[in-house]
Amino acid sequence: MTRPAIAPDMWLPLDPQTGRPGDPVVGSASLGFWAGVRSRLWRHRPAMAGLGFIILLIVAAVFGPMLSPYSYFQQNLELSNLPPVYRPYTVAEGVQVHVNTSNLSLYEVGDGGGLTGLLRPDGRDMINRQTTWEIAGKTVVLDYGQRPAVLTIDGEVAQAGGRKLNRRNPFGTDQLGRDVLVRQLYGARISLLVAAAAVLANFVIGVVYGGVSGLLGGRVDAVMMRIVEIVATIPLTLYVILMMVVLQSGLLSVVLAIGTVYWVDMARVVRGQILTLKSQDYVAAARTMGASTSRILFKHLLPNAFGPILVTLTMLIPSAIFIESFMSFIGLGVTPPQASWGTLTSEAVETLRAYPHQLFFPAVAISLTMLAFNFLGDGLRDALDPRLSS
Amino acid sequence: MTAPLLSLRDLRTEYRTDRGVVQAVRGVELTLHRGEILGLVGESGSGKSVTCMSLLKLLKRGGHITSGTADFDGVDLLSLSDRALTRVRGDRIGVIFQDPMSALNPTMTVGRQIVEVLMQHRRIGKNAARARAVELFKLVRIPSPETRIDNYPHEFSGGMRQRVMIAIALACEPDILIADEPTTALDVTIQRQILALLKELRDRLGMAIILVTHDLGVIAETADRVMVLYGGQVMEEAPVADLFAAPQHPYTRGLLAAIPDPRLAGRPLSPVRGSPPDMRSPPPGCPFAPRCPRAMRICATPPPMYDGTESARLRPTQRSRCWLADTNAPAPTPEPAE
Amino acid sequence: MTGASRLPLMWLAQRIGMMLLTLLAIITLTFALMHAVPGGPFVSEKMLAPEIEAALNAKFGLDQPIWRQYLNYLGGVLTFDLGPSFKYPGVSVNSMIADGLAVTAQTGLLAMICVVAVGVPAGIVAALNRGRWPDTLAMFLASLGIAVPSYVIATVALYIFALRLGWTPAFGLDDWRGYILPVVALSGFWMSFVARLTRSNLLETMSQDYIMTARAKGLPARTVMLRHGLRNSLIPVVTVLGPVVANLLTGSFVIEQIFALPGIGRHFVQSITNRDYTAIMGITIFYAVFLMLMILIVDLLYLWLDPRISYGDRK
């Protein structure tokens, strides 16, 4: 075999100063654990979308009601069940009305496009099933002898115009004429409050309970876990319901009920983590150096169990939000006039036939919030355990 | 010498991962003769396991063979479809894996796991397959095979599980047995028993074995011929005796120096310094150059495979991919005297 | 093949003992909670004359000391007698439960079948098509199913399919179509959950070493997937079936209300709004017993499916 000639100087050993050919690539493996988590989470698009939504929701829930001219309890029965979007009829130049075909009322359209007032009829003919208004010198007749009702202006059948936004109440009003937008925002406040309470209970009770149980081990652990087992036999929802029976309905009761029982999962997770971590060498090392139990718990074990705790927490938040809305939906949660997404939904169900749009906002709000927290939790789990990510 | 049983040429395998393409195997050549035990040795990530698994296209997710031919009895394994390969796998080429705990299906009796492979490749009834399974258990020396066959993997010890794996791999009397780190997960005493069993089975059944390991001790004890892999390439290849007596490649020397030698007790071990290259962007020349104590300027250029028949620096049966094997290269410095 | 002989009697005895202990704790807890309610059970009827209230208290044994009431109640539960309803004269809690059981069991069972029959195949299809459109679609729907609360699914479905399209009745179970919406709403969450679980378990299982062994044996890809992959990946799915039952139960509270189904869940919610304390206690205890039995069955099923599991006293 012939090989190309090699210049003699190529055989010289490498000078250490000039470096060696092709130094080993120093991989990005030196990146810290949390930096890796952050970068993986950052690239997880649904999680980021979820986080963005949650931040938006918090900001809206905190500041929204302050900016609104309405309060969540302020009723205006004249302006009840107004839609967020409507198709106005033009009576005369610059005079438009909105017809509610369910309660057969006419509403005045304000300058900005908001539905500003109820128009009182000038005549009612119950026998011919007609209601008459005199508006801007014209005779407006709503004939409800047929379905849907027909509006005539000076004897001519009127046609509805293009869709318009209700600028007075962007989300419309409910059956008591309360502004749906501001009630939605109050619902968000309640959901977030419940979430915060659940988080707090989890942290304070769950982490400590699980931590102590796992750390002490032995008989204490056995007894503590038996208790958790007994508690976990029947669904948490049932406990919350029973608590509500005792505490009577109301926001405080819901928060209290959820706080009292929503630590069980966390206690289990923390205990499991502690048991795994406990068997690792660095804890033994800390123990031999004379560290106290609480020091080991707080300085060594919990920081390392932080990942799974965080994931459990983000997964518990949506379930706490769900349980509150669920309780409120079946009438065991917050009391009127307070608005929760659950009560808003159940109120919407009452008027489902006539005003289905009222179901839209609370249903979308709770669903999006649950999705956002779920996505964030999924993303967090994947980011913390890259092995599991797909 | 007769025609080789298996002849692998220019195998290149890469893994596509989220963080880039890993070039796991970069042009490996391998020849295997009937009845031979060929050792493949190297650090983890050197490409030794991937080379074997590429033969049967048993690659994990993201793995692709980008080039190469593997002539096995006149058929190119690498060009076979997955369906055609199923007739080779388990029948003509058997495989045993590193961890016998995880390599056996935990929810199936070991008997069924053997019967399954027999019924896949042989026209054989269930009872006959079962009888054959008992026979195989006897062959691999599992005590009371008739009852053990109905046990689940978790009811066996590690060594016994590996015997079960061997029984499965040998069920159809393959021409080649690929043993991928067969003893790594076992105790030292069990290791010896398993290696002795493999050798004995080779003698009785006459199949060839490719033994993949990172442990030169295992090689010394078992293999006939060795290939040292590093950075997805073959660094050195020689019969076992020659490799241990006269290692040529600095990497092989490094590996040998890292083995504890009772005769040199008290002298510190000298591990190979540095870490293996990142196979997403391997060094342009010799992959070992960045860690090599004898690196030269020329090492930035990929060294050719020197053959013992053409280089006086090598024994006739030895091959080495190192510029130092060139007759023009500076002579090796003598070992420092003690 | 050695299923029966692996049945650990010691473990079973322990489990049943533990169940009885749990039951005792639950009875005590609910009893204590119900008696902790401020005011008496008849507090809502404010204009009750004192002598009538006294007569009522005597009738329900409320004039006796609390420990006596507790023992009486405990004795009743042990003889499967949950006592009379506070609100409906002449109606026993037993008959209330018996009354609603058929409806709740029917919808619950159908929902359970949906969870398994839709969730598992959807998860398998998603895993087999990992990263392609069926996977994306299935996992998108599963995300929705997990996030959207059951009562939202129920009301939206009620509006679209019953009120707008008129395909299904809006309430009642007179017709087979009446079952569709309640069952879908009830099973939506767990269908999605099981689909996701099946998918991730199957993917995880398919990356196990023994799958590589099965491939190395020369088994066709289908056989590898079905015989080695699927079975092992489904074992963990069985473990969630216990919680599924529990959650179908609580889910039924709201679903039965929305679709006006006369099940136990509706009775339960009604007795809460009615402050019918014996009914609340009785139904809670019934739920607890039922759930404990379900969890026991799931554990036994698990034992049968996974030979690695041993509950203590196998040789």
Side-chain angles (χ1 to χ4, degrees), chain A residues 221-298:
Chain A
D221 178 45
V223 171
M224 286 176 89
M225 280 302 119
R226 274 289 136 87
I227 294 173
V228 164
E229 226 172 274
I230 289 174
V231 172
T233 305
I234 62 176
L236 293 183
T237 318
L238 215 52
Y239 284 112
V240 176
I241 289 178
L242 293 178
M243 297 284 293
M244 292 304 294
V245 173
V246 179
L247 296 173
Q248 316 295 348
S249 299
L251 178 58
L252 190 67
S253 307
V254 180
V255 170
L256 215 62
I258 291 176
T260 326
V261 293
Y262 261 66
W263 50 269
V264 177
D265 283 344
M266 180 61 84
R268 283 181 164 174
V269 169
V270 172
R271 173 180 174 267
Q273 280 297 315
I274 298 287
L275 285 186
T276 334
L277 292 169
K278 213 166 90 169
S279 58
Q280 277 167 17
D281 295 339
Y282 66 93
V283 175
R287 219 178 256 291
T288 48
M289 280 165 16
S292 69
T293 301
S294 69
R295 192 185 157 78
I296 290 175
L297 179 62
F298 286 104

Side-chain angles (χ1 to χ4, degrees), chain A residues 289-342:
Chain A
M289 280 165 16
S292 69
T293 301
S294 69
R295 192 185 157 78
I296 290 175
L297 179 62
F298 286 104
K299 288 271 159 177
H300 295 271
L301 295 180
L302 288 183
N304 282 289
F306 188 64
I309 290 176
L310 202 62
V311 171
T312 315
L313 219 52
T314 35
M315 289 307 189
L316 272 159
I317 290 175
S319 83
I321 292 179
F322 166 74
I323 200 86
E324 180 278 319
S325 72
F326 178 94
M327 300 295 297
S328 296
F329 184 90
I330 59 176
L332 288 173
V334 301
T335 41
Q338 275 183 331
S340 135
W341 287 337

Side-chain angles (χ1 to χ4, degrees), chain A residues 1 3 6 9-14 20-29 43 389, chain B residues 19 278 281 283 290-292 295-298 300 304-306 310 323 326 328-330:
Chain A
M1 209 195 280
R3 298 191 194 281
I6 292 158
D9 68 327
M10 291 299 274
W11 298 113
L12 293 176
L14 272 179
R20 315 192 130 174
D23 266 331
V25 179
V26 181
S28 45
R43 276 180 291 147
S389 64
Chain B
R19 307 176 70 187
D278 182 343
S281 51
R291 295 167 76 184
C292 184
M296 303 171 291
R297 285 192 194 168
I298 186 76
M305 182 62 102
Y306 286 96
E310 54 175 328
W323 286 111
D326 196 290
N328 293 322

Side-chain angles (χ1 to χ4, degrees), chain A residues 2 9 16 59 65 82 119 125 138 145 165 181 185 249 262 275 302-303 345 372 389:
Chain A
T2 53
D9 68 327
V59 171
L82 293 181
L119 293 165
D125 185 346
K138 296 193 178 177
L165 293 176
L181 175 59
L185 292 172
S249 299
Y262 261 66
L275 285 186
L302 288 183
T345 311
S389 64

Side-chain angles (χ1 to χ4, degrees), chain B residues 270-283:
Chain B
S270 45
V272 184
R273 278 173 217 289
S275 52
D278 182 343
M279 295 312 287
R280 287 174 297 177
S281 51

